[in-house]
Amino acid sequence: MTDFDHALRSLRVWDTELPGFDPRTAPAEPLSLFHDWFVSAADAGQVEPHTMSLATVDEDGRPDVRTVMLHGADERGWHFASHATSAKGRQLAARPEAALGFYWPRQGRQVRVRGRVSTSPRDEAYADLHARTTGALASALVGRQSEVLGSLAELRRVSEAAWERAEAEPGAHAESWTLYVLEADEVEFFQGDERRRHVRLRYRREPGGWVTELLWP
């Protein structure tokens, strides 16, 4: 057995006391339950509960996934941001649908979200960017996300120049910076169980509103 195999098979899942979840008490719509679970994850000490997997599809139908940061969740949908010129930006422009995945192992919980993606007005994107850190602005000013990089020295040079500009011009615009909103048509809440009797509650958007259903684990 290799070190990898030994490490893989020695790991435990949810080596902690898990909370309960009674789907009969769930609200009629998913947003408030997501807010409750998010706050609960943060209060439980979950590291970076605001990070999520973002799955998109390219023009050839091949799936792609990466980890991004949640920028908000409200009545319009789940918000995240990136460059329109990045791989994810180009994929969303060609096929504006995506899926999000949150995993909070401290509580054995997952949330999956699927739906159509739209872009927010540019002033909202800039307001979002300027409300973040100097480092976030500097990174946005570098741009060129997903392009081939010639060397780390080139990255260092361009990054240093971007940091200088971000510190001197905190209101600087990154022209390709885009705020996206995923309007969910399906949201699933997964509560892990030590005996593998996991609770899965799915919300589906219908013309008359949200409907809920339980799923086998």
Side-chain angles (χ1 to χ4, degrees):
M1 180 180 293
T2 67
D3 290 344
F4 167 79
D5 292 327
H6 182 270
L8 181 63
R9 285 161 176 74
S10 66
L11 295 173
R12 285 180 53 83
V13 177
W14 306 325
D15 191 12
T16 183
E17 184 176 347
L18 300 178
F21 173 49
D22 184 351
R24 294 172 298 181
T25 66
E29 47 78 32
L31 181 62
S32 60
L33 183 56
F34 176 81
H35 285 169
D36 289 345
W37 276 29
F38 184 92
V39 172
S40 180
D43 289 345
Q46 176 62 54
V47 176
E48 298 181 350
H50 58 319
T51 57
M52 60 188 183
S53 297
L54 166 67
T56 54
V57 177
D58 68 15
E59 59 186 7
D60 296 321
R62 297 182 304 170
D64 206 350
V65 67
R66 74 288 287 165
T67 301
V68 298
M69 184 181 298
L70 178 69
H71 286 220
D74 55 26
E75 289 74 14
R76 290 188 297 165
W78 278 252
H79 301 243
F80 60 95
S82 185
H83 291 280
T85 53
S86 67
K88 69 180 83 64
R90 296 194 303 271
Q91 291 166 4
L92 288 170
R95 193 165 182 172
E97 294 176 298
L100 306 176
F102 296 85
Y103 179 44
W104 300 318
R106 289 294 295 267
Q107 296 185 301
R109 286 177 169 176
Q110 299 181 55
V111 180
R112 301 168 59 209
V113 187
R114 296 201 297 177
R116 189 165 183 84
V117 177
S118 61
T119 58
S120 294
R122 185 159 299 272
D123 60 338
E124 287 188 23
Y126 287 154
D128 171 80
L129 178 59
H130 297 144
R132 300 177 68 201
T133 64
T134 300
L137 176 58
S139 178
L141 291 173
V142 169
R144 303 175 66 174
Q145 192 176 62
S146 304
E147 296 180 14
V148 175
L149 174 65
S151 69
L152 293 179
E154 180 182 6
L155 172 60
R156 190 179 306 109
R157 175 178 55 79
V158 175
S159 177
E160 288 177 355
W163 270 89
E164 291 179 3
R165 184 183 176 195
E167 291 171 340
E169 302 176 49
H173 292 338
E175 295 299 326
S176 61
W177 188 253
T178 304
L179 185 63
Y180 296 94
V181 181
L182 187 152
E183 182 182 6
D185 53 40
E186 185 176 306
V187 185
E188 180 191 327
F189 294 84
F190 173 104
Q191 174 62 68
D193 177 81
E194 292 180 354
R195 297 185 66 84
R196 302 303 189 264
R197 293 191 287 259
H198 313 311
V199 179
R200 296 176 62 188
L201 176 66
R202 179 170 64 188
Y203 290 78
R204 287 189 296 106
R205 191 191 297 272
E206 297 286 349
W210 290 99
V211 297
T212 59
E213 53 203 0
L214 293 173
L215 303 176
W216 281 87

